[in-house]
Amino acid sequence: KAGVTQTPRYLIKTRGQQVTLSCSPISGHRSVSWYQQTPGQGLQFLFEYFSETQRNKGNFPGRFSGRQFSNSRSEMNVSTLELGDSALYLCASSFLAGGPDTQYFGPGTRLTVL
Amino acid sequence: QQPVQSPQAVILREGEDAVINCSSSKALYSVHWYRQKHGEAPVFLMILLKGGEQKGHEKISASFNEKKQQSSLYLTASQLSYSGTYFCGTEGGAQKLVFGQGTRLTINP
């Protein structure tokens, strides 16, 4: 089975721009979660989508948004980029929406904001 | 509430044992353990469920103390390949998983 894929792997943007990241989950998985990883804050939950609906959302400003398509692929958008948005963005897929289900992470998208 | 991991970092020689702890101030229903090598994605190791069920790795074991709201990961006879940062994650109510700050494990030959 193919793993979780994320595109692009690397991005360089400037302040004020917007960016869209893409995540394709493992075949059959309908839950996709997004995390931001930085050296200072660690792994922080952004949001989770299941069957095209946002189930949960972390403590991030409204500039961070996402969506999920009928094929379970998900996109994450960050508008009006700030320097502090520089991070590794990871998506993870799982079969179930909640509960103790294993999450499988993609390789991440490294976003640098200049 | 973010779980607290200890120690923050540990350095071992190959063959030595290590214990990594994860504590939460909230009731735990499950604890998830991941390992992340530098520049790579976190890789699932193990889930511990309330009630004692474990699912995961062959050579790594863990415990889950529901009363103390703690979990410990045991790495015995460590190998060079065990190096990396270990994260515990707990179900966080509105969040899919809330991760600890990580424990950096370095195994030297």
Side-chain angles (χ1 to χ4, degrees):
Chain A
K1 240 183 194 182
V4 178
T5 58
Q6 290 186 246
T7 57
R9 292 293 311 279
Y10 302 91
L11 264 180
I12 299 175
K13 293 285 186 179
T14 56
R15 277 182 301 173
Q17 287 187 309
Q18 76 164 22
V19 67
T20 299
L21 313 181
S22 181
C23 172
S24 292
I26 291 171
S27 178
H29 285 189
R30 292 194 292 162
S31 169
V32 174
S33 298
W34 288 89
Y35 295 86
Q36 182 196 64
Q37 187 174 32
T38 59
Q41 300 295 321
L43 268 165
Q44 292 193 291
F45 173 78
L46 281 154
F47 28 67
E48 179 197 8
Y49 285 87
F50 183 83
S51 293
E52 301 179 66
T53 302
Q54 186 181 88
R55 289 193 72 249
N56 297 307
K57 192 176 191 316
N59 296 323
F60 280 83
R63 300 185 296 108
F64 292 81
S65 63
R67 59 178 175 167
Q68 187 179 34
F69 302 94
S70 58
N71 61 359
S72 295
R73 189 176 70 85
S74 176
E75 286 182 348
M76 189 192 96
N77 186 75
V78 188
S79 62
T80 320
L81 285 166
E82 300 177 0
L83 295 178
D85 296 334
S86 294
L88 180 67
Y89 290 88
L90 294 160
C91 83
S93 77
S94 59
F95 184 70
L96 299 175
D101 193 26
T102 303
Q103 289 192 84
Y104 297 90
F105 283 86
T109 294
R110 172 80 58 187
L111 172 64
T112 302
V113 183
L114 303 175
Chain B
Q1 195 76 14
Q2 185 181 34
V4 176
Q5 290 184 232
S6 63
Q8 289 189 334
V10 59
I11 300 173
L12 298 175
R13 286 197 173 178
E14 202 173 4
E16 292 182 335
D17 300 339
V19 180
I20 300 172
N21 302 303
C22 175
S23 297
S24 174
S25 58
K26 298 176 77 172
L28 294 177
Y29 299 96
S30 68
V31 179
H32 306 230
W33 287 96
Y34 287 82
R35 176 172 61 212
Q36 185 177 30
K37 293 183 179 288
H38 183 69
E40 300 180 10
V43 173
F44 167 76
L45 292 175
M46 181 169 291
I47 287 180
L48 297 108
L49 307 176
K50 194 174 181 178
E53 184 182 351
Q54 280 189 36
K55 296 193 284 183
H57 206 276
E58 291 180 355
K59 296 184 180 180
I60 296 173
S61 63
S63 65
F64 182 16
N65 188 322
E66 297 163 30
K67 281 187 179 179
K68 291 186 177 180
Q69 294 160 194
Q70 290 178 347
S71 176
S72 295
L73 189 72
Y74 305 97
L75 303 141
T76 56
S78 58
Q79 305 170 16
L80 294 175
S81 62
Y82 287 5
S83 291
T85 301
Y86 289 77
F87 293 95
C88 68
T90 58
E91 291 175 59
Q95 301 191 21
K96 183 76 169 178
L97 279 180
V98 181
F99 286 96
Q101 79 279 21
T103 296
R104 182 174 292 183
L105 176 65
T106 303
I107 310 292
N108 293 320

Tab-separated table of all heavy atoms in Angstrom, chain A residues 4-9 11 19-25 32 34 69 73-77 89 91 108-109:
chain	number	residue	atom	x	y	z
A	4	VAL	N	1.311	7.870	2.862
A	4	VAL	CA	0.770	9.217	2.758
A	4	VAL	C	1.731	10.067	1.932
A	4	VAL	O	2.943	10.032	2.162
A	4	VAL	CB	0.586	9.847	4.155
A	4	VAL	CG1	0.059	11.266	4.037
A	4	VAL	CG2	-0.329	8.979	5.015
A	5	THR	N	1.210	10.778	0.980
A	5	THR	CA	2.064	11.637	0.164
A	5	THR	C	1.671	13.096	0.358
A	5	THR	O	0.487	13.413	0.542
A	5	THR	CB	1.989	11.274	-1.332
A	5	THR	OG1	0.622	11.387	-1.758
A	5	THR	CG2	2.468	9.856	-1.577
A	6	GLN	N	2.673	13.940	0.316
A	6	GLN	CA	2.447	15.372	0.469
A	6	GLN	C	3.200	16.116	-0.624
A	6	GLN	O	4.340	15.772	-0.948
A	6	GLN	CB	2.932	15.872	1.833
A	6	GLN	CG	2.093	15.384	2.993
A	6	GLN	CD	2.514	16.007	4.316
A	6	GLN	OE1	3.001	15.313	5.202
A	6	GLN	NE2	2.306	17.302	4.452
A	7	THR	N	2.543	17.108	-1.150
A	7	THR	CA	3.194	17.950	-2.149
A	7	THR	C	2.878	19.415	-1.887
A	7	THR	O	1.797	19.739	-1.376
A	7	THR	CB	2.713	17.596	-3.577
A	7	THR	OG1	1.288	17.717	-3.635
A	7	THR	CG2	3.143	16.201	-3.972
A	8	PRO	N	3.801	20.308	-2.179
A	8	PRO	CA	5.188	20.012	-2.533
A	8	PRO	C	5.984	19.640	-1.281
A	8	PRO	O	5.474	19.744	-0.175
A	8	PRO	CB	5.665	21.336	-3.123
A	8	PRO	CG	4.891	22.364	-2.366
A	8	PRO	CD	3.539	21.755	-2.103
A	9	ARG	N	7.192	19.217	-1.447
A	9	ARG	CA	8.010	18.871	-0.281
A	9	ARG	C	8.664	20.114	0.317
A	9	ARG	O	8.901	20.181	1.522
A	9	ARG	CB	9.090	17.872	-0.688
A	9	ARG	CG	8.556	16.507	-1.081
A	9	ARG	CD	7.930	15.769	0.121
A	9	ARG	NE	8.801	15.772	1.273
A	9	ARG	CZ	9.814	14.941	1.451
A	9	ARG	NH1	10.080	14.028	0.538
A	9	ARG	NH2	10.557	15.018	2.544
A	11	LEU	N	8.806	24.579	0.031
A	11	LEU	CA	8.202	25.811	-0.473
A	11	LEU	C	8.912	27.001	0.148
A	11	LEU	O	9.162	27.005	1.361
A	11	LEU	CB	6.733	25.878	-0.071
A	11	LEU	CG	5.652	25.418	-1.054
A	11	LEU	CD1	4.291	25.584	-0.409
A	11	LEU	CD2	5.730	26.189	-2.351
A	19	VAL	N	-0.411	30.197	0.576
A	19	VAL	CA	0.152	28.938	0.130
A	19	VAL	C	-0.887	27.827	0.299
A	19	VAL	O	-1.717	27.880	1.206
A	19	VAL	CB	1.434	28.617	0.933
A	19	VAL	CG1	1.114	28.340	2.403
A	19	VAL	CG2	2.169	27.444	0.333
A	20	THR	N	-0.827	26.855	-0.584
A	20	THR	CA	-1.711	25.684	-0.498
A	20	THR	C	-0.858	24.428	-0.500
A	20	THR	O	-0.009	24.247	-1.375
A	20	THR	CB	-2.704	25.633	-1.673
A	20	THR	OG1	-3.521	26.812	-1.642
A	20	THR	CG2	-3.596	24.409	-1.565
A	21	LEU	N	-1.082	23.587	0.487
A	21	LEU	CA	-0.366	22.325	0.608
A	21	LEU	C	-1.346	21.185	0.365
A	21	LEU	O	-2.514	21.288	0.735
A	21	LEU	CB	0.251	22.183	2.008
A	21	LEU	CG	1.007	23.391	2.558
A	21	LEU	CD1	1.570	23.069	3.944
A	21	LEU	CD2	2.104	23.823	1.615
A	22	SER	N	-0.837	20.096	-0.188
A	22	SER	CA	-1.712	18.991	-0.532
A	22	SER	C	-1.285	17.704	0.168
A	22	SER	O	-0.092	17.484	0.411
A	22	SER	CB	-1.697	18.772	-2.050
A	22	SER	OG	-2.554	17.715	-2.412
A	23	CYS	N	-2.261	16.884	0.483
A	23	CYS	CA	-2.010	15.626	1.168
A	23	CYS	C	-2.910	14.546	0.594
A	23	CYS	O	-4.131	14.715	0.528
A	23	CYS	CB	-2.278	15.794	2.660
A	23	CYS	SG	-2.227	14.257	3.610
A	24	SER	N	-2.297	13.426	0.206
A	24	SER	CA	-3.081	12.272	-0.251
A	24	SER	C	-2.927	11.156	0.771
A	24	SER	O	-1.806	10.691	1.011
A	24	SER	CB	-2.593	11.799	-1.622
A	24	SER	OG	-2.895	12.752	-2.608
A	25	PRO	N	-4.022	10.731	1.378
A	25	PRO	CA	-3.926	9.733	2.445
A	25	PRO	C	-3.723	8.333	1.878
A	25	PRO	O	-3.801	8.119	0.664
A	25	PRO	CB	-5.290	9.832	3.131
A	25	PRO	CG	-6.222	10.256	2.037
A	25	PRO	CD	-5.413	11.159	1.150
A	32	VAL	N	-8.014	12.720	7.686
A	32	VAL	CA	-6.745	13.392	7.446
A	32	VAL	C	-6.588	14.492	8.493
A	32	VAL	O	-7.476	15.329	8.661
A	32	VAL	CB	-6.688	14.011	6.034
A	32	VAL	CG1	-5.398	14.831	5.882
A	32	VAL	CG2	-6.740	12.920	4.972
A	34	TRP	N	-3.861	17.500	10.097
A	34	TRP	CA	-2.709	18.342	9.772
A	34	TRP	C	-2.049	18.807	11.061
A	34	TRP	O	-2.734	19.161	12.033
A	34	TRP	CB	-3.150	19.565	8.963
A	34	TRP	CG	-3.560	19.260	7.564
A	34	TRP	CD1	-4.807	18.914	7.122
A	34	TRP	CD2	-2.719	19.287	6.403
A	34	TRP	NE1	-4.794	18.722	5.763
A	34	TRP	CE2	-3.525	18.952	5.292
A	34	TRP	CE3	-1.370	19.581	6.181
A	34	TRP	CZ2	-3.034	18.882	3.993
A	34	TRP	CZ3	-0.876	19.508	4.894
A	34	TRP	CH2	-1.701	19.161	3.809
A	69	PHE	N	-11.552	16.549	-0.020
A	69	PHE	CA	-12.328	16.219	-1.206
A	69	PHE	C	-12.967	14.838	-1.067
A	69	PHE	O	-12.647	14.081	-0.149
A	69	PHE	CB	-11.425	16.286	-2.442
A	69	PHE	CG	-10.776	17.628	-2.626
A	69	PHE	CD1	-9.503	17.880	-2.135
A	69	PHE	CD2	-11.445	18.652	-3.274
A	69	PHE	CE1	-8.898	19.123	-2.284
A	69	PHE	CE2	-10.858	19.893	-3.435
A	69	PHE	CZ	-9.590	20.131	-2.938
A	73	ARG	N	-8.505	13.143	-0.367
A	73	ARG	CA	-7.347	14.042	-0.458
A	73	ARG	C	-7.686	15.347	0.263
A	73	ARG	O	-8.846	15.776	0.285
A	73	ARG	CB	-6.993	14.322	-1.914
A	73	ARG	CG	-5.688	15.064	-2.117
A	73	ARG	CD	-5.379	15.220	-3.600
A	73	ARG	NE	-6.278	16.157	-4.264
A	73	ARG	CZ	-6.099	17.477	-4.296
A	73	ARG	NH1	-5.054	18.025	-3.678
A	73	ARG	NH2	-6.956	18.247	-4.926
A	74	SER	N	-6.678	15.941	0.857
A	74	SER	CA	-6.928	17.157	1.633
A	74	SER	C	-5.950	18.251	1.223
A	74	SER	O	-4.823	17.971	0.790
A	74	SER	CB	-6.787	16.862	3.127
A	74	SER	OG	-6.939	18.040	3.906
A	75	GLU	N	-6.390	19.446	1.354
A	75	GLU	CA	-5.526	20.601	1.133
A	75	GLU	C	-5.573	21.500	2.355
A	75	GLU	O	-6.590	21.588	3.046
A	75	GLU	CB	-5.987	21.411	-0.091
A	75	GLU	CG	-5.688	20.765	-1.421
A	75	GLU	CD	-6.112	21.629	-2.599
A	75	GLU	OE1	-6.829	22.619	-2.389
A	75	GLU	OE2	-5.724	21.282	-3.717
A	76	MET	N	-4.455	22.143	2.582
A	76	MET	CA	-4.367	23.118	3.658
A	76	MET	C	-3.920	24.436	3.053
A	76	MET	O	-3.030	24.458	2.203
A	76	MET	CB	-3.353	22.664	4.693
A	76	MET	CG	-3.352	23.491	5.948
A	76	MET	SD	-1.938	23.144	6.977
A	76	MET	CE	-0.867	24.442	6.471
A	77	ASN	N	-4.552	25.509	3.459
A	77	ASN	CA	-4.230	26.833	2.936
A	77	ASN	C	-3.831	27.754	4.076
A	77	ASN	O	-4.449	27.741	5.144
A	77	ASN	CB	-5.450	27.397	2.205
A	77	ASN	CG	-5.130	28.703	1.515
A	77	ASN	OD1	-4.478	28.726	0.485
A	77	ASN	ND2	-5.581	29.806	2.086
A	89	TYR	N	5.084	21.144	7.832
A	89	TYR	CA	3.659	20.830	7.933
A	89	TYR	C	3.460	19.357	7.569
A	89	TYR	O	3.774	18.927	6.467
A	89	TYR	CB	2.834	21.751	7.019
A	89	TYR	CG	2.823	23.161	7.547
A	89	TYR	CD1	3.813	24.069	7.193
A	89	TYR	CD2	1.848	23.570	8.447
A	89	TYR	CE1	3.830	25.350	7.712
A	89	TYR	CE2	1.851	24.854	8.971
A	89	TYR	CZ	2.849	25.733	8.600
A	89	TYR	OH	2.864	27.004	9.132
A	91	CYS	N	0.951	15.980	7.401
A	91	CYS	CA	-0.405	15.461	7.446
A	91	CYS	C	-0.331	13.989	7.822
A	91	CYS	O	0.692	13.324	7.612
A	91	CYS	CB	-1.166	15.678	6.142
A	91	CYS	SG	-0.885	14.465	4.863
A	108	GLY	N	5.895	15.363	4.923
A	108	GLY	CA	5.835	16.771	5.301
A	108	GLY	C	6.165	17.725	4.163
A	108	GLY	O	6.777	17.351	3.154
A	109	THR	N	5.728	18.946	4.344
A	109	THR	CA	6.091	20.049	3.457
A	109	THR	C	6.842	21.071	4.291
A	109	THR	O	6.319	21.557	5.297
A	109	THR	CB	4.853	20.712	2.832
A	109	THR	OG1	4.199	19.787	1.965
A	109	THR	CG2	5.245	21.958	2.047
